[in-house]
Each structure stands twice: as C-alpha cells, then as structure tokens.
Amino acid sequence: MKILAIESSCDETAAAVVQDGREVISSVVASQVEEHKLYGGVVPEIASRRHAEAIVPVVQQALDDAGLSLDNINAAAVTYAPGLIGALLVGVNFAKGLSLSSGIPLVPTHHLRSHIASNYISNPDLKPPFLCLVVSGGHSHIVKVEDYTKMKIIGRTRDDAAGEAFDKAARTMGMSYPGGIELDKTAEDGNPLAFKLPRPVVHDSEYDFSFSGLKTAVINLIHNSQQKGIELNKADVCASFRYAVVDCLTTNFFKAAQDYGETRLVIAGGVSANSLLRKTLSEECKNRGYEFYMPDKSLCGDNAAMVGSQGYYEYLSGNIADLSLNAYATMSIE
Ligand code: KG4
Ligand code: ZN
C-alpha cells in the first residue's frame, strides 16, 4: 500500500510517498528556517504563508521523485494536530482537496505519533510494545506505546519542552534559531562538569520533567558573568547544560522503564538527534540488557516520511476522516 503523506505543523513543508509503513519511496522537506532565524523563532503568520506557497511544488516533487502519479496512491495521510493552527490548516485543506478530487481515503495523523513512527522506518524489526521518550521543540513525553495506535502518557514536562530549553539557552549564547543543534555541537569540546547546574525535580511525580528552572539557571549564569565582565568558556557552558538536560531526561526515562517493567526503549522527536542523549541511552541500555532503538538522524526533525509510516498504521486501524476534518493546535497523543 502506497501512502502520500503531508506535514506542515511548524516550519517545514514536507511530502513523502511511503510503502506499507516502512519503506520510503520519496521524501521532500522544504524548510523555512532561514527566514524564521531573522526573528529568533517561528513567526506563525509567515509559516502559514510559506506553507501555502510550497505545498503544491513539494507534493508534486514527492510524486515525481517516486515516479508515481496520484493514480498509484492508495491513501493520503496528513498531520492534523498538534502544531501551529494556520500552518496545519494548509496541509489539512490540501489533503482534503486531494482526497475529494482523486477519491483516495484521507488519514488524519498525530504529529507526535509520527515522530515515534520514524523509528519504524529506521528500525525495520521494531514493533510495539515499547516505552518511548518523545522530545521535540514543543513536547517532552514518556509514552507507553502499547500498539501502533494505542498510547499512554506516563510522564510529561510541566513547563518548557526539552527542545525549547535547548533553543533558549542557545539564544542567550548568541546562537541562531533553532540553536539546539549548534549547542550540541559546541558541547562536544566542553567539560560537562565545569558548571554545576540544577536538576529540577517535580515533587508529585517521578516521571514528569521541569526544564524552566534549569533554563533560567544557565541564562542567569551567562548574564551574571557578562555583567561582571567575566568571559565564560562557551563549550563548557554548552556541555554542562546539555549534560543536565540529558541527565533529567534519562533519569526519569529509566525510572519509568524500571517501574513499568519495560525493557525495549525508543527515542523520537527533534531532540532525539542530540549526540549525548543517543550515546548515554545506547550505553546504559546495553549495560542493563535493554533493547534500544533510535531514528536515523535524518528522520529526527520534522518530515513527511514519518507521517506516511504512522498513517499506514492509522489506516489499518480504521482511522479514516471525511471532508469535515479540521486541524487542532493541541491534542493528546493518547
Ligand atoms: O521535532 P522537531 O523537529 O519539531 C517539533 O515538533 O517541535 O524538534 C525541533 C527541536 C528544536 O528545539 C531543536 O533545537 C531540537 O529539536 N534539536 C536538538 C538537536 N537537533 C534538533 N536539540 C538538541 N540537540 C540536537 N542535536
Ligand atoms: Zn516535530
């Protein structure tokens, strides 16, 4: 079964053709990030306009790259939640038009479920059940993936998402949006123990995260030294901050795994590209005798291939929408 997938939840307009949920036939991503960099973050109005301009050529390119026409496509999967509402509406309305004109079924797909599904592409043997740490620019969740379309949230952030904390810390150090990747690279040359940063805990939950205090601590460290005219070693600050975030993420993830008896662990979302997170989990899972899976780095950020993968399993479970389908800025992964 061939699915044409469409993604427009934030600042990437993407389309892909995916076979049976696992094989990517084509994948096109048009990023708007260079334009949003000028403003230090995503400007929703600009994002919607750029999606509207890019959607037709991006979808056409995905079909051309696959050497297919709409006649060869069995269903259209589209991200309908969560994300920027104006951005999501571009993809949803385009997919509805496509479904109406061609008669192919319309499959609504949840953005975070798609991030998890990026693992089905990178790891052909991986099947639920497993425990997944979903860490992106907007969300940080520990999710019990009971089946392809059955999930339960075990832990979540109470304030900032991990990606958001990375981006804000990076911005304070003069790195351009989204700074998570540059912070990660800079941290490679630093000492993670150079600065003592807090490990915020949430008192009424062992699995929930809180990153806002940690983010404020690193911002204060930078501002205080600037006021005193002290130059901090940037690589050391990045390494200490990265270590603190990864420590919080992995501590709660392993605690949840232990308590729920899960021995197959998976990561997903933009922050799953983080080098230290990948390395720490790979090593620690090996020590504990757990299975560990992660998406290829090229599939960690927003793309439509992952939507085509999750869309396949949504289709199989009977999740098919009619033309009344709407987009939603927020929606639980459950
Ligand atoms: O999943 P994603 O592409 O978009 C959302 O759905 O939010 O995640 C984007 C986030 C950004 O905050 C970005 O800085 C972060 O993922 N990110 C990273 C790395 N690569 C991307 N954060 C830390 N280390 C990285 N290597
Ligand atoms: Zn995303």
Side-chain angles (χ1 to χ4, degrees), residues 20-37:
D20 298 334
R22 300 272 177 168
E23 187 197 337
V24 181
I25 302 176
S26 68
S27 177
V28 179
V29 180
S31 178
Q32 311 168 357
V33 72
E34 288 306 320
E35 191 168 0
H36 296 294
K37 262 184 189 167

Side-chain angles (χ1 to χ4, degrees), residues 55-193:
I55 190 97
V56 172
V58 165
V59 170
Q60 188 61 56
Q61 188 69 48
L63 287 169
D64 290 349
D65 289 356
L68 299 170
S69 72
L70 273 181
D71 297 339
N72 315 110
I73 298 296
N74 307 107
V78 64
T79 306
Y80 77 122
L84 300 171
I85 190 68
L88 287 165
L89 279 168
V90 175
V92 166
N93 283 319
F94 186 88
K96 281 161 72 168
L98 201 85
S99 170
L100 178 66
S101 61
S102 64
I104 58 177
L106 180 64
V107 182
T109 309
H110 189 285
H111 184 68
L112 297 180
R113 287 188 176 194
S114 298
H115 270 300
I116 294 173
S118 62
N119 281 284
Y120 303 139
I121 299 168
S122 296
N123 307 288
D125 305 336
L126 177 65
K127 290 190 179 96
F130 54 81
L131 194 68
C132 189
L133 177 68
V134 188
V135 269
S136 70
H139 297 84
S140 301
H141 284 344
I142 297 173
V143 181
K144 201 166 181 288
V145 181
E146 292 166 354
D147 206 341
Y148 291 102
T149 56
K150 193 162 175 257
M151 333 220 157
K152 196 170 178 306
I153 299 175
I154 306 287
R156 65 175 80 223
T157 182
R158 295 288 180 96
D159 39 56
D160 292 357
E164 198 181 346
F166 270 119
D167 293 343
K168 286 182 179 159
R171 187 162 75 180
T172 314
M173 285 181 269
M175 297 170 182
S176 59
Y177 173 84
I181 305 167
E182 193 181 336
L183 190 153
D184 185 20
K185 278 201 191 112
T186 311
E188 291 294 307
D189 301 320
N191 172 9
L193 304 174

